[in-house]
């Protein structure tokens, strides 16, 4: 888990944060102060460290409406934490998992940008494996902006607070193989379907095509070493087809 104390500084906007020397300077300036993750910076910083505050609004936007743009005054929090992987990095994929960040954020590892995410109510994952050096200690920087294009879609009756407000943790996965993405795409297209439509479909024979792509970081598989088992279930949770 990466929950707990992080170093933090609040900037007036993202540009000021990117212009600072925190990305290359290993020694943090004195103006970085401890903050607790998970949590929101409006509820943790006193008036001397921040002029940002919680906002409650019902149906109006708390900033000038000009989608997808946001105001120049856009409080931006920079979180910094060091972590050690011991012997895990060489044996596993290393994923950092954010359970919730409001509203959008950039992730940097050892001075390199890993990725960006928005949608403050969903979790986000980033693969750190290729960004990790051989050092025993690594540096994670998370830049969080208060307002983003997603803020236009998240305008509900609620308190507007910012920061890493849910847990953060590392996940170790085997480099050999794991299922990372799975989805279902139906070819049945019905507009306002009725019960008769489904009755007519149930009488027809349908085909399910399964396409699998195997990727591996190391060339350890030989021809014929990989097999896939697929089971198709009816709504009564009864296996009606099984292939291998």
């Amino acid at each position: 888990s990466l929950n707990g104390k992080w170093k933090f500084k609040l900037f007036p906007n993202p540009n000021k944060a990117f212009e600072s020397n925190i990305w290359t300077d290993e020694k943090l300036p004195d103006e970085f102060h401890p903050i607790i993750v998970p949590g929101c910076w409006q509820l943790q910083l006193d008036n001397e460290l921040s002029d940002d505050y919680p906002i409650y609004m019902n149906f109006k936007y708390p900033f000038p409406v000009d989608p997808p743009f946001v105001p120049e005054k856009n409080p931006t929090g920079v979180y910094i934490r060091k972590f050690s992987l011991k012997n895990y990095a060489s044996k596993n994929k290393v994923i950092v998992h954010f359970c919730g960040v409001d509203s959008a954020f950039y992730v940097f590892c050892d001075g390199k940008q890993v990725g960006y995410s928005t949608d403050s109510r969903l979790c986000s994952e980033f693969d750190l494996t290729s960004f990790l050096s051989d050092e025993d200690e690594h540096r994670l920087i998370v830049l969080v902006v208060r307002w983003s294009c997603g803020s236009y879609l998240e305008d509900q009756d609620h308190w507007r607070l910012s920061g890493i407000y849910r847990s953060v943790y590392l996940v170790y996965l085997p480099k050999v193989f794991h299922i990372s993405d799975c989805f279902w795409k139906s070819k049945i297209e019905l507009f306002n379907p009725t019960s008769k439509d489904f009755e007519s479909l149930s009488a027809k024979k349908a085909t399910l095509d399964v396409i699998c792509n195997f990727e591996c970081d190391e060339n350890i598989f030989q021809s014929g070493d990989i097999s896939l088992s697929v089971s198709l279930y009816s709504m009564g949770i009864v296996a009606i087809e099984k292939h291998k």
Side-chain angles (χ1 to χ4, degrees):
S1 172
L2 296 182
N3 291 347
K5 287 186 178 181
W6 291 52
K7 290 293 187 178
F8 179 85
K9 182 180 178 181
L10 189 66
F11 292 84
N13 56 59
N15 290 336
K16 292 295 183 182
F18 281 115
E19 291 170 0
S20 66
N21 62 347
I22 60 174
W23 314 102
T24 56
D25 190 358
E26 288 292 330
K27 185 178 179 180
L28 292 179
D30 295 335
E31 57 265 27
F32 273 78
H33 297 273
I35 196 170
I36 299 298
V37 171
C40 300
W41 68 62
Q42 291 90 351
L43 303 181
Q44 298 192 53
L45 302 181
D46 56 34
N47 293 334
E48 295 182 359
L49 300 178
S50 170
D51 60 353
D52 197 21
Y53 48 86
I55 298 176
Y56 174 82
M57 299 190 76
N58 188 355
F59 59 91
K60 294 183 178 180
Y61 285 102
F63 49 80
V65 178
D66 185 22
F69 304 103
V70 294
E72 182 177 354
K73 185 179 180 181
N74 188 5
T76 301
V78 175
Y79 294 78
I80 299 180
R81 170 164 179 156
K82 292 183 178 181
F83 63 96
S84 176
L85 293 176
K86 299 181 180 179
N87 298 323
Y88 290 104
S90 60
K91 299 178 181 179
N92 300 276
K93 284 191 174 184
V94 181
I95 310 295
V96 60
H97 183 103
F98 294 86
C99 295
V101 180
D102 196 329
S103 69
F105 65 105
Y106 298 84
V107 177
F108 298 81
C109 182
D110 290 344
K112 300 178 182 178
Q113 183 173 336
V114 179
Y116 167 86
S117 179
T118 186
D119 196 330
S120 64
R121 297 302 181 264
L122 293 179
C123 61
S124 302
E125 288 187 341
F126 301 89
D127 189 347
L128 301 181
T129 311
S130 61
F131 297 91
L132 297 174
S133 63
D134 295 331
E135 301 296 329
D136 294 334
E137 193 174 57
H138 304 278
R139 194 176 194 226
L140 190 66
I141 300 179
V142 182
L143 184 149
V144 183
V145 295
R146 179 164 198 180
W147 310 122
S148 67
C149 59
S151 300
Y152 287 98
L153 304 176
E154 298 175 347
D155 183 61
Q156 302 105 8
D157 179 9
H158 71 291
W159 281 96
R160 288 161 176 81
L161 299 166
S162 313
I164 307 175
Y165 70 96
R166 290 177 181 163
S167 294
V168 183
Y169 53 85
L170 296 175
V171 180
Y172 304 119
L173 298 174
K175 287 185 176 181
V176 177
F177 175 75
H178 67 278
I179 297 176
S180 60
D181 191 14
C182 181
F183 68 93
W184 172 271
K185 183 177 181 181
S186 173
K187 295 182 179 180
I188 299 176
E189 298 180 0
L190 294 175
F191 182 74
N192 294 328
T194 64
S195 59
K196 291 184 178 180
D197 292 323
F198 287 109
E199 289 176 1
S200 62
L201 284 172
S202 62
K204 297 180 180 179
K205 185 176 181 180
T207 301
L208 173 64
D209 296 324
V210 178
I211 302 174
C212 298
N213 295 318
F214 290 93
E215 297 181 1
C216 182
D217 292 339
E218 300 177 10
N219 186 21
I220 64 173
F221 287 121
Q222 300 296 326
S223 177
D225 285 347
I226 302 174
S227 63
L228 175 68
S229 179
V230 179
S231 298
L232 179 63
Y233 291 84
S234 68
M235 294 183 64
I237 318 299
V238 177
I240 56 178
E241 290 285 348
K242 188 173 183 179
H243 296 281
K244 187 174 182 180

